[in-house]
Structures are given as structure tokens and as C-alpha cells.
Amino acid sequence: MAYEISEQKKIGFGLLGFGFFFSILGVILFFDRGLLALGNIFCLTAVAILLGWQSTWTLFTSRKNYKGTVSFLFGLFFIFVRWPVVGIIFEVYGCVVLFGGFWPSVKMFLNQIPFVGWIIRYL
């Protein structure tokens, strides 16, 4: 593999996996706000560990990402005030705006994983 994964990145990917798992489980269980909030906490922590604290702060506070940051924070707010469907809609939009620039890097990384890369190349 071209990339070497450090222990810190392994922890970050593990937290990201737990975040996605709890978020999906929260949606499947009729938008359970506890599971959705737990998934959000895991995902935000994973992003901070993978990118670094300073890069994460810069990502969320840069001028071109204000729309995504505000949308994501409104989504968190709506989940905490018991409107999880509206919160998920805001969060998905915020994530797409915030992390839209990362998709080429993610695709290149996934192409190098043996089984996943084969599936991505043939889709």
C-alpha cells in the first residue's frame, strides 16, 4: 500500500466506523436521538483525530465553509431538541458542503483497498 496507517489514524478510523454505525442504527430505529447524538460525537472526534485539531478548527471556521458549518450545527441543535428528521437533513447537507473537497482523496484511498477498490472501479 502507498499509505502507511499510524496507530492514531487507526483509532480515528475506528471512531469513524462507530460513528457511522450508531448513526445508521439511530436512523433504522426510527430516528432515536440518543444514538444519533452518540454517532455525531464519534464522527466529530474521529475527524479531529484524523485531520488534527488545528486543521479541524480551520475546516469548520474557514470563510468558504460557513454555510456547511452553520447547517451542521443547526442539525445537531435539532437532534438535541427532539426533531431528529430535520436535524439529519441539515447535517447531511452540512457534511456534503464541508467535506465535498475530500471525495477525490477518499476515492483514491478506497481504490487501494483490495476488494473495495475492485468494486469502485467497476461501478
Side-chain angles (χ1 to χ4, degrees), residues 26-46:
V27 169
I28 289 173
L29 294 174
F30 302 111
F31 294 96
D32 180 47
R33 73 181 185 109
L35 291 173
L36 291 172
L38 193 60
N40 284 327
I41 290 168
F42 278 140
C43 285
L44 286 175
T45 306

Side-chain angles (χ1 to χ4, degrees), residues 18-89:
F18 278 124
F20 286 146
F21 173 74
F22 282 118
S23 295
I24 290 171
L25 191 63
V27 169
I28 289 173
L29 294 174
F30 302 111
F31 294 96
D32 180 47
R33 73 181 185 109
L35 291 173
L36 291 172
L38 193 60
N40 284 327
I41 290 168
F42 278 140
C43 285
L44 286 175
T45 306
V47 167
I49 288 174
L50 288 172
L51 294 179
W53 298 105
Q54 186 65 34
S55 297
T56 303
W57 181 255
T58 305
L59 174 73
F60 280 99
T61 58
S62 73
R63 191 161 190 79
K64 68 177 184 169
N65 291 337
Y66 276 155
K67 192 187 317 184
T69 302
V70 169
S71 176
F72 188 79
L73 292 177
F74 271 139
L76 280 175
F77 172 75
F78 283 128
I79 284 176
F80 288 132
V81 296
R82 298 179 188 242
W83 287 19
V85 176
V86 176
I88 289 294
I89 291 170

Side-chain angles (χ1 to χ4, degrees), residues 3-17 46-47 49-52 109:
Y3 297 108
E4 184 175 327
I5 299 177
S6 67
E7 292 298 318
Q8 185 174 0
K9 291 200 188 247
K10 288 179 186 177
I11 292 170
F13 283 127
L15 287 173
L16 195 62
V47 167
I49 288 174
L50 288 172
L51 294 179
F109 174 75

